[in-house]
Amino acid sequence: MNSNMLGLAITPILAISLAAFADHPGGGGAKLEASLTGAAEVPGPGDPDGTGMIQMRLNPGQGEVCYTLMTMNVEGVNAAHIHVGEEGQAGGIAISLQVDASHDGMTEKCVEDMRSRITAILRNPSGYYVNVHSAGNPAGAVRGQLEGLRDK
């Protein structure tokens, strides 16, 4: 699937997600997002058909990361993390995220973490990425670099 088709596939779901994200608990903090693909997974291979999106609010003052994570065409999602690493590089786990496999690829949660780690992510979001693991791709099914949430 080319990037234009991916955008068309994710757009309707993303619109629904944005509405949910606006009402998500943990409404304070800085907003970040990432588009997830199997092709971006390093060292790979990721899930060739897998895609996803994560939108999050990082609130270092409360030591909290709240997020909406969606995956499509990824079977058996069982873990997700924020990792330290530039695009094209694999890195260590910075923050473990919880996934809810019972909700057809959508998770809305808040997790607590150290304020210093959350602040480090906010200072250099593109130096971090999110990846989602699955039964078929235990090293990583889909991945995307973090970036500031665009005003829409």
Side-chain angles (χ1 to χ4, degrees):
M1 180 179 286
N2 68 36
S3 61
N4 290 338
M5 291 175 66
L6 175 63
L8 291 174
I10 291 178
T11 300
I13 294 171
L14 182 56
I16 294 167
S17 170
L18 284 172
F21 186 67
D23 295 331
H24 196 280
K31 300 175 190 177
L32 299 176
E33 69 178 357
S35 295
L36 313 172
T37 66
E41 189 60 57
V42 173
D47 186 321
D49 300 318
T51 61
M53 183 72 168
I54 187 165
Q55 295 178 337
M56 60 181 67
R57 292 179 190 267
L58 286 80
N59 190 328
Q62 299 201 5
E64 186 175 66
V65 177
C66 294
Y67 56 94
T68 299
L69 170 66
M70 296 181 315
T71 58
M72 296 185 331
N73 301 320
V74 179
E75 297 294 323
V77 169
N78 54 26
H81 307 99
I82 300 173
H83 289 261
V84 177
E86 300 291 331
E87 187 171 350
Q89 298 177 346
I93 296 171
I95 298 177
S96 292
L97 304 174
Q98 299 172 3
V99 294
D100 191 345
S102 67
H103 283 87
D104 297 323
M106 185 155 176
T107 299
E108 291 183 301
K109 299 263 185 207
C110 292
V111 296
E112 293 181 8
D113 207 284
M114 294 175 14
R115 293 176 183 185
S116 60
R117 206 170 0 228
I118 294 169
T119 299
I121 294 169
L122 290 173
R123 286 187 179 141
N124 181 27
S126 65
Y128 292 82
Y129 64 92
V130 171
N131 79 333
V132 176
H133 304 264
S134 68
N137 295 91
V142 292
R143 167 188 166 145
Q145 292 299 125
L146 288 174
E147 60 184 52
L149 187 63
R150 297 178 299 270
D151 294 326
K152 297 186 178 164

